[in-house]
């Protein structure tokens, strides 16, 4: 008899995803630089990738389902000359099989070409879509990102692109970090609350903008600074200028970027995020101490948190779960039919570490709880005497409206259960989440944060309405 | 030493191409019927194919570079349920590698979906494009066909789709046969001069429209009639209605459809086009008689003309050139690198027929003269004593502005040379083209024709301006 | 309701197939020349193609399912340097999905490399296979062709390759035309009865052998002569030598090559086969005269026969069935699910020709009768008053044991029915097959023929036994 | 200006590779179980994978270049019914583009089918190959593994398969763990020195053999025991039997399997290899102590060793290098053309950890030194004050003749340089390798080891001769 089937969730390498954007200006091989930068941002979106390059105003767009490394091979890059480029990586929503929603989006606008890459989510998309339709808009995609193009196109007064762009941006609500290619110029924009990251770097004569600093590192660029909330930057023939910013709003940087979403080697507040995760782990150890023999991270994203926890708790750290590097998307595709040892394909327990021990498992979030439950069972099967689960995020109860692809609120484990119920569901001897205050104590104090997913406090607004036409 | 390289032109199975359209309404398997109909229209455009199907107003679009049979395989068709569909086959212009200009074009228009297939060419596209941009249009393709969508979208007064469509159509100049899918309805339109064909058929409870009757035959549909110039037909839930037609203009049916472009088993004026080609061949034999031993067609498209010529001339017909069925596009792709015996791959001479004979070669057109020259040389190499070339079209001197993809006017052999010069260039002992009057005597007398490619008389207007932005 | 499904047979472009072989020696671009030659032989086998090239004794083998033009693209050919090469095209038997039986077959033999291409079929394959197994042979394929390799390998006495090859060949029974690549030499062999064709040509300093002369034409080579039955030719560094031939046997050239299998532009007995088909058509008209209005070939292979028939009968020839050039294999693949208008996809009737007429259909063979029946129905549906079917082959009653891939004998229409029954089955007003004597009167009188498929006279022996292990 | 190109070595996820084998008997879905087991062995060979399944003696073989997850998708597995199967994963040697050397190898042997999978390397391959050629063998591959098939095939006396197999095995020298499928039976064999691992497990009614225990874990099988050196096991219809073993020889288990090659969650001597790596790290800390601030592993394979080192040295462990999970083979393919930040694509330094610190880097081997040099430079660029390199293997000076794919001996860094020279080459402040005695103190004392790669003591013999014909 064959074992029960896998579910797609079993295989998800990282539970929640979103998008990543890059922009390159004034580099003779802009598309290649953009591809390497995207490569470093692949963790932000693994299902599609795209680059649009401008060769003196003549655009070329390549985008496809798949990984950066599969799409931007040498033969492809060799045919993409040009000195400015923008790029995008993206998760895909269930069932999507075409590239019509992949980005960058490209269009012909008043005899010039334009392309945009968007990380974030607009909360007033449906209202804008209706209004723009009355003005004659027809949509090539069903993404909210396309609305920016139509707002610019329908701007009757704007004789200059920058003016139209500014006017269009003031109409948007929600979260956005944009890179925009227009004719021979590149633009970068961050929303007034600065919800999503966007940083600026320098590589010789070239300028690079990217969602995270790790994308600058990979191409050897120097990190200059984060864009300020509401900032607009224009790159033109090697020159940078800063048109008037968008009207200010209180900063609301996504705290989940620090806990899980960004790469640990990226910087936040000029320090490695790795450090903040060490601090989160230590804080967690103080908030939820436990008498145990060994601390084991759910690799790889929880490694720093587990190190911090072990150090604070004075317990030995061991890599008691070995993660396979060969779980491929291909394997996932026909997911329904594959078998139930999914978690075993991804993680294998090290018996020598776990057998007879009291084990602390450290993770950085619990989403649906499916994978966590399987890991706990696996650790018990390997002989663990006790299993204690510690999480460096507060209980995740609410959907993100600002660009992190989360399951329906109803599917979030913490939305359905109390901590005690979750402990029973996971089958652990104890369960501890860091407190929201504990998080705040661990992350850079100089910034204000959006913590809506944990607190339900949607400072940047809720999504107004959801209609059939625009499936975001 | 390797022989000199092929050129793409050596391989072109049929020199000039354009597009073909179909529409299917009220059939439970509309996409499959559309695919079979497209299959029969493949000669009108071999480089891309697409079908958009409406499943109760929810659209699905599949289009790709390649042949109908490669794109619409069973697994693909099985995933395209729906009871109305439109389809398109298309040539591709040089260097095009993406599908952004392939059709049908699909968009979201006022919360409903719309898709269009277009055969023809608009002469006022650039003026319209400029005007629409002022109204806020952004373009997803660089085809003139997209303009119809924007004209409808920007129609402020039209509360009803049919009204907006009619108003939009009156703005178009040039040639068009459209099939349109809007929500749950299908529409078919022919331009006021009726330049391109579009016929109506019935298959059980379903309605079929298609560029040629051979597409009706292949699905077993009954041919009802050609659409009248300017006619608009609406198909809705099994019902057909005829909204007011477009303002009348003198008919100008493309005479080249009869000479070469349409399939010989399609009907024109309710008779097989095969018959008119027999008549063209006979007329040619009367206008340019020759003392010879054998009549040989350039297969397959010239077969009927050669039969007509041979019969009128009292000479034996022989298939002295064998055409290979295995010249594939794949072979063409890396065209620059392939070798010079291209013509030999496509046609092989039958020595037993040609050796020592005075040969009449019958063809239906001379475009650049490249392939003709190679065939003549091949026939001479096979031992022909004399080679006489006869063409069932007048000298082709002018570009078509109405949807036949022709090379630049400057490349047309008859535009550069007199008949005597062409005779020398081709290396033949005599060369005869049918006269324009001869053509008119051979084709249905009940219709008026566009003969601009031969006469330069562009009744339906010239292309106003050609800009970089819209490469048609 | 959707129509009934296609069967694979509906789509078969040519009913029976086999194999074609080529060999090129002493040409700097041997693989490319071989690919072009194979291209011209594609009609002999459409399902797989392969080339093995020797670059100073270092072999490279490329073979795959698919057409020559798809497999041997420029990027592939560019990586196949070498100055001798052999090639092969092959049909595939039902259900075969791998390339293990595709040819050339390659092996390492006493520290040197060897490859073979085989057209034909061995009748004593099973006996040889058993004997060779006792000697230690293990088989990489299930084709009889591999046995030659093992016979050579197990030849203990042979210190010289040519001696071992000769000894091995004398063990083979049945039909074979081989091209063999061994180290830096190329060899060509024809069986003692000369059942399959194999011709020799010259291209500059290079030598070409091929199944048919049309393969010489396509590369611009000069035809020198057919190999004699039993002849062995060795090509080594530009030199040609003729080792002792195989023991003589009465010639038995496959008469079906002349009737249908070879291309009409190939030569037999130094004359175009086209001519013999004209003669077969004329003979058929004399043997089975009919009062009718028009003669229509089943295109393209029956065109010459129909011309011969029409001329002899004094009736007009018309191309009353238009053949589509776009019936692709891709379309065939999921054959069970496609619909019944298969024949219509391949042939479309010209109503103007058929309506109200008494039609003579001329074909070159009837295999299962499936396609013929559909064509007849189609011609009747187009309005034909009478349909008379004429075939330029005698009734085909017996399987071929010598390399033409025929259906099981039980499926052959003429094996199951009398002529009268076939006439009823096809639904025709009269049915006439040419007599065996008529065939003999029409083909070159200087040769002796194998006519086993029509007469059951298997001069070259029957297949001894058929076991599970070797599925030929 | 673009940066300098990557080399393929920059991208190698794991420096040295070899092969992995599995066998499944008496399971209704044997191919699927085999594919999951191979999945867990992917680290042993990442370039090709294959499975041969026996469905009551009728074999089906699927093998291809690529990852297990890409080749054995659900549609493929669904078409591979059968209750016994063997599988193989393999590295590929430079430039290999075809699958002719991929395994399992399959052949037809005395009317039955046989397939073999081989992990190891035969040292007397060339002598055997010559001898077998004299007996008439022709080779379908250039792998030494094929020789076993020919030895069995040429065994004249063996009337029973087991007898022939035993006789054939006694002729082999070197290293081999075989899984063999013959008709309806499966066999497993380990060479008399037990150089490569091979373990036996039970899954319900089924038997599993595999190179490592992690392959048993993934399918939920129970580990029974390692095969003994020289052991032969036969699986037939659910029954297991042990024919007489091969003549005994002193055990020589590959010590490198413990240091690096096997997965840490696999068992050796019934304990997790993870444990031995912790011990190797601790031993290394004792042998080469250093005054430093932080211990950083080269992830992931050195994680346990670094933990052991840090713990023994009383230094904090930090994951100061973040490894990307998205370095794909696709990216590697056109390796010459990609850019020099290869190491940065694979590892990114965490500045917060490295800046201003004295860093101990722990790795498990140095092969060519190329990647190590780049990592050191990267760590220095991140601000490290000192870099100390520690290796849990002795200097690797000699090629492996027993199945680990190593570069040419001349390319091994330790073969070219003293430790002092290597320290300068790597640019580190100190460099320490564990001693051979230190290794022996850390690994299971109950086994004897092969340490030829470190000591040059080739107990199991050297490769006799290397000829052009068989490229192993």
């Amino acid at each position: 008899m064959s074992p029960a089937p896998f579910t797609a969730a079993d295989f998800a390498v990282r539970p929640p995803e979103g998008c990543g954007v890059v922009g390159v200006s004034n580099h003779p091989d802009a598309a290649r630089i953009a591809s390497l930068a995207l490569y470093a941002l692949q963790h932000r979106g693994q299902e599609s990738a795209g680059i649009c390059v401008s060769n003196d105003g003549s655009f070329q767009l390549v985008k496809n389902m798949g990984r950066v490394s599969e799409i931007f091979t040498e033969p492809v890059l060799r045919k993409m000359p040009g000195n400015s480029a923008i790029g995008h990586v993206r998760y895909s929503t269930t069932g999507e099989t075409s590239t019509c929603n992949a980005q960058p989006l490209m269009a012909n606008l008043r005899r010039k070409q334009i392309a945009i890459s968007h990380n974030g989510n607009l909360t007033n998309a449906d209202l804008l879509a209706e209004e723009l339709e009355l003005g004659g808009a027809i949509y090539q995609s069903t993404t909210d990102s396309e609305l920016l193009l139509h707002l610019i196109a329908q701007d009757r007064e704007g004789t200059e692109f920058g003016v139209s762009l500014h006017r269009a941006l003031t109409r948007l609500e929600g979260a956005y970090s944009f890179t925009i290619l227009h004719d021979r110029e590149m633009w970068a924009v961050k929303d007034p609350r600065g919800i999503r990251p966007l940083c600026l770097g320098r590589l010789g004569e070239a300028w690079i903008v990217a969602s995270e600093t790790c994308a600058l590192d990979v191409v050897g660029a120097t990190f200059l600074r984060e864009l300020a909330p509401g900032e607009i930057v224009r790159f033109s023939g090697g020159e940078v200028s800063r048109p008037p910013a968008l009207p200010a709003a209180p900063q609301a940087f996504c705290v989940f970027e620090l806990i899980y979403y960004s790469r640990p080697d990226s910087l936040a507040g000029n320090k490695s995020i790795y450090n903040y995760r060490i601090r989160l782990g230590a804080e967690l150890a103080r908030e939820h101490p436990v008498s145990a023999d060994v601390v084991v991270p759910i690799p790889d994203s929880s490694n720093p948190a587990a190190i911090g926890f072990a150090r604070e708790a004075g317990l030995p750290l061991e890599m008691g779960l070995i993660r396979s590097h060969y779980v491929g998307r291909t394997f996932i595709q026909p997911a329904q039919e594959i078998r139930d040892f999914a978690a075993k394909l991804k993680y294998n327990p090290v018996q020598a570490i776990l057998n007879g021990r009291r084990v602390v498992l450290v993770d950085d979030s619990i989403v649906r709880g499916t994978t966590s439950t399987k890991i706990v069972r696996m650790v018990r099967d390997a002989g663990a005497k006790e299993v204690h689960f510690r999480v460096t995020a507060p209980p995740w109860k609410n959907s993100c409206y600002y660009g992190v692809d989360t399951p329906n609120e109803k599917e979030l484990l913490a939305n359905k259960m109390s901590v005690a119920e979750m402990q029973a569901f996971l089958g652990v001897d104890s369960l501890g989440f860091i407190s929201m205050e504990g998080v705040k104590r661990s992350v850079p104090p100089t910034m204000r944060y959006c913590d809506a997913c944990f607190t339900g406090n949607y400072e940047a607004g809720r999504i107004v309405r959801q209609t059939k036409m625009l499936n975001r």
Side-chain angles (χ1 to χ4, degrees), chain A:
Chain A
M1 204 200 65
S2 289
F6 283 149
T7 67
D10 290 330
F11 272 117
V13 181
R14 293 168 55 97
E17 296 191 27
C19 298
V21 301
V22 303
V24 177
S25 180
N26 204 40
H27 189 286
D29 208 356
R32 172 166 287 113
I33 297 300
S35 78
L36 290 162
L38 283 185
Y39 190 89
L41 298 179
Q42 185 85 80
H43 63 287
R44 297 183 73 86
Q46 304 178 40
E47 297 307 319
S48 73
I51 290 173
C52 185
V53 65
S54 168
N55 196 7
D56 288 335
S58 167
F59 281 29
Q60 201 183 343
L61 171 65
V62 173
K63 59 183 177 180
N64 223 325
M65 307 306 280
R67 296 285 167 88
V68 174
S69 60
E70 294 162 353
I71 300 167
F72 295 100
T73 56
E74 267 302 304
V76 169
L77 287 172
R78 235 174 293 145
K79 290 182 193 146
M80 296 181 74
N83 58 12
S84 44
I86 63 169
H88 195 262
V89 288
R90 185 170 177 273
Y91 73 95
S92 86
T93 56
T94 320
E96 210 164 69
T97 56
S98 81
T99 59
C100 88
N101 282 349
Q103 298 199 7
L105 296 172
M106 188 175 108
N108 299 309
L109 175 71
R110 294 187 202 129
R111 309 272 144 166
K112 287 181 180 163
Q113 293 187 290
I114 184 169
I116 57 168
S117 290
H118 176 204
N119 175 207
N121 200 34
L122 305 181
T123 51
N124 64 335
D126 279 306
L127 295 181
L128 288 175
E130 269 189 10
E131 175 192 321
L132 288 161
E133 277 166 14
L134 294 179
I138 53 180
Y139 301 117
Q140 57 175 292
S141 76
T142 56
T143 60
D144 55 353
S145 315
E146 187 181 348
L147 299 172
L148 178 63
L149 294 178
H150 291 279
L151 283 168
I152 297 169
Q154 292 193 8
D155 181 50
R156 307 283 129 120
E157 296 154 62
T159 51
E160 205 231 321
F161 176 75
V163 175
S164 291
L165 173 63
H166 191 281
R167 204 161 9 227
L169 290 167
T170 58
R171 300 297 314 282
L172 304 183
E173 289 171 23
Y176 52 85
S177 286
F178 281 114
T179 55
I180 302 168
L181 209 55
H182 178 254
D183 200 17
R184 293 149 197 260
E185 295 183 344
M186 207 248 297
W187 298 70
V189 183
K190 193 190 264 189
D191 69 64
R193 280 179 181 82
I195 298 173
R196 295 283 146 226
L198 194 63
C199 65
L200 176 63
R202 190 80 161 129
L203 173 63
E205 299 299 304
W207 301 95
I208 323 271
V209 289
S211 292
E212 296 183 33
T213 63
C214 65
L216 303 180
D217 294 343
V218 89
V219 299
T222 310
F223 168 62
L224 299 177
R225 60 176 182 84
E226 269 289 317
L227 259 66
E231 184 172 359
I232 302 175
V233 189
R234 168 185 181 174
F235 304 86
S236 178
E239 300 303 306
V240 178
S241 57
R242 297 179 59 208
L246 296 169
Q251 186 182 26
F253 183 68
C254 169
V255 76
F256 198 59
E257 293 268 356
L258 292 169
I259 295 173
Y260 163 81
Y261 196 23
S262 289
R263 260 173 57 170
D265 50 324
S266 286
L267 303 181
N270 286 324
K271 285 210 186 131
S272 292
I273 287 171
Y274 183 97
N275 257 6
Y276 300 116
R277 294 193 184 155
I278 291 273
R279 288 163 61 98
L280 285 161
E283 177 71 28
L284 180 61
R286 284 188 295 270
E287 292 192 1
H288 296 282
V290 59
S291 180
D293 299 315
V294 64
V295 174
V296 170
I298 313 290
D300 291 353
S301 63
S302 305
N303 289 352
I307 290 175
F309 190 103
R311 202 171 285 159
E312 178 72 21
L315 293 173
L317 173 90
E318 298 280 7
M319 309 303 279
L321 292 164
I322 302 300
R323 177 171 165 188
S324 168
H325 296 296
Y326 307 104
V327 176
R329 276 159 311 112
T330 323
F331 216 76
I332 304 175
Q333 302 300 43
Q336 321 82 288
E337 326 229 359
I338 312 177
R339 309 295 139 172
D340 178 48
F341 10 90
K344 276 191 189 159
L345 286 181
K346 195 165 146 199
Y347 302 110
N348 207 30
V350 181
Q351 264 192 308
I353 292 308
L354 304 169
N355 193 18
R357 302 284 182 84
R358 295 170 299 163
V359 178
V360 182
L361 290 176
V362 177
D363 206 349
D364 41 27
S365 56
I366 291 182
V367 189
R368 289 182 192 81
T370 331
T371 306
S372 310
T373 310
K374 290 189 176 158
I375 288 174
V376 168
R377 202 190 316 146
M378 202 187 294
V379 168
R380 288 214 185 271
D381 289 349
K385 218 162 57 184
E386 296 176 12
V387 181
H388 303 274
F389 211 100
R390 293 295 177 270
V391 189
T392 56
W396 187 356
K397 295 181 174 172
N398 312 290
S399 286
C400 177
Y401 296 164
Y402 311 129
V404 173
D405 177 44
T406 46
N408 188 300
E409 217 158 85
K410 303 255 155 70
E411 298 177 47
L412 293 169
L413 196 68
N415 189 283
K416 299 189 289 189
M417 298 186 186
S418 68
V419 172
E421 287 165 338
M422 286 192 272
Q423 178 173 324
F425 177 83
L426 296 175
V428 291
D429 298 288
S430 76
L431 170 64
F433 292 89
I434 197 171
S435 66
M436 199 60 234
E437 298 67 38
V439 170
K440 298 254 163 99
R441 277 190 295 272
S442 311
V443 295
T446 53
M447 302 210 280
R448 280 194 78 249
Y449 295 97
C450 172
D451 52 16
C453 51
F454 306 124
T455 63
N457 178 19
Y458 291 97
E459 285 201 12
R462 290 171 179 272
I463 286 184
V464 174
R465 205 175 17 156
Q466 193 83 19
T467 70
K468 180 173 151 284
M469 201 59 219
L470 293 171
N471 317 300
R472 252 153 291 127

